[in-house]
Amino acid sequence: EYDISPVTDDRPFFFDFNTPTNLIGSGLFTDLRRIALSGTGTLVAVLVQALLLAFLLLVLPVASRRRKLKGRGWWFLAFFLATGTGFMFIEVPLLQRLTLVVGHPTVAVALVLGLLLISSGISSLFSERITKKSSKRLLAVLTGLCLLSLLMAFAGPSVGLVLLESTRSIQLIGTGLLVIPVGALMGLATPHGLRMASDLDEELPPIFWAATSFASVLGAVLSVMVSMSIGFGGAMAIGGVCYFIAALAMTRACPTSTSQR
């Protein structure tokens, strides 16, 4: 009934003994004492809270604009939902996995999250020059991000062991080399999508901005829940699949590629 197998570095959740089959029938979601003492119950409570707040603060204000999506707009919506979810499914497992390498949770958050946001911010700043209005360039970025995330998902534990046996300076440099390329690629997707959506309809970008924000809020919680079930590598692989879905959606949203020279 319970999972009492030894934990691993890829799934180091010592407090979690639940399995997917015993969650519903075990009274986890009806017994307040079990909810208070269970990491899974706490996550479910946080997920419900995030869902309600994101709906009230992101979905309703945009829905009040009464702008209906049609045609290619639905494919753009799928693109932004996929990129928002994929970003968090890569960021959260990457942060959790590299905490083992960096050695201290506070330092890991400052280093990993800082490098990720700085690199994605810089690439977003120059995204208009990098991807311009070429769908082919964006597809190359999304495909590369998908492959890179899958590579890190399966090769990450081996790289982590190598870094653990290295000096402190090598560990910090290695962490930067793992984080910066991922952040730089992820920072290109949303600005490009917003520019393309603006060309379709100038009133659509606020809707898609709310959509990617909504997906990222839920993705932050869901990525932890998935990591608890199948490990950090599995969650990161799902993030790569999300960017693959984003690439497919962009091919339907922008069937013809227009590039500026």
Side-chain angles (χ1 to χ4, degrees), residues 188-256:
L188 295 173
T190 300
H192 181 97
L194 290 175
R195 285 194 298 270
M196 301 299 289
S198 180
D199 291 341
L200 180 64
D201 189 331
E202 292 183 354
E203 295 190 15
L204 289 180
I207 297 177
F208 299 139
W209 180 262
T212 190
S213 301
F214 180 81
S216 63
V217 169
L218 298 185
V221 185
L222 290 175
S223 60
V224 178
M225 299 178 72
V226 171
S227 297
M228 291 172 59
S229 298
I230 61 177
F232 299 143
M236 196 173 297
I238 291 177
V241 173
C242 287
Y243 278 100
F244 178 74
I245 295 174
L248 295 179
M250 182 55 66
T251 59
R252 301 301 299 269
C254 301
T256 58

Side-chain angles (χ1 to χ4, degrees), residues 2-148:
Y2 294 95
D3 181 8
I4 58 173
S5 60
V7 298
T8 63
D9 289 339
D10 192 58
R11 190 169 167 256
F13 298 96
F14 299 91
F15 56 84
D16 182 35
F17 300 100
N18 293 300
T19 61
T21 56
N22 75 351
L23 288 178
I24 299 177
S26 62
L28 177 63
F29 305 128
T30 57
D31 188 341
L32 295 179
R33 291 173 298 179
R34 291 201 62 188
I35 292 177
L37 297 175
S38 171
T40 305
T42 303
L43 278 175
V44 172
V46 172
L47 178 63
V48 172
Q49 175 184 326
L51 179 63
L52 292 176
L53 290 176
F55 182 80
L56 292 174
L57 300 178
L58 295 172
V59 177
L60 285 185
V62 175
S64 64
R65 298 170 66 93
R66 297 182 180 178
R67 191 70 179 181
K68 295 183 179 180
L69 296 177
K70 55 184 178 181
R72 291 190 293 160
W74 289 106
W75 290 110
F76 273 111
L77 180 63
F79 169 81
F80 284 103
L81 289 175
T83 54
T85 305
F87 192 101
M88 300 310 298
F89 265 84
I90 292 177
E91 175 188 322
V92 174
L94 187 64
L95 173 61
Q96 293 174 316
R97 176 176 279 178
L98 289 177
T99 298
L100 178 64
V101 176
V102 176
H104 195 283
T106 304
V107 178
V109 170
L111 179 64
V112 177
L113 192 58
L115 289 176
L116 190 66
L117 295 180
I118 290 174
S119 58
S120 62
I122 293 176
S123 64
S124 297
L125 182 64
F126 295 100
S127 62
E128 190 170 4
R129 298 181 182 180
I130 298 174
T131 61
K132 296 185 179 180
K133 297 219 174 166
S134 172
S135 297
K136 291 183 178 180
R137 293 190 182 186
L138 180 63
L139 290 177
V141 169
L142 294 175
T143 303
L145 185 55
C146 177
L147 296 177
L148 182 59

Side-chain angles (χ1 to χ4, degrees), residues 101 162-174:
V101 176
V162 173
L163 291 177
L164 281 174
E165 298 175 354
S166 304
T167 61
R168 186 62 173 172
S169 59
I170 297 297
Q171 290 176 349
L172 297 179
I173 294 174

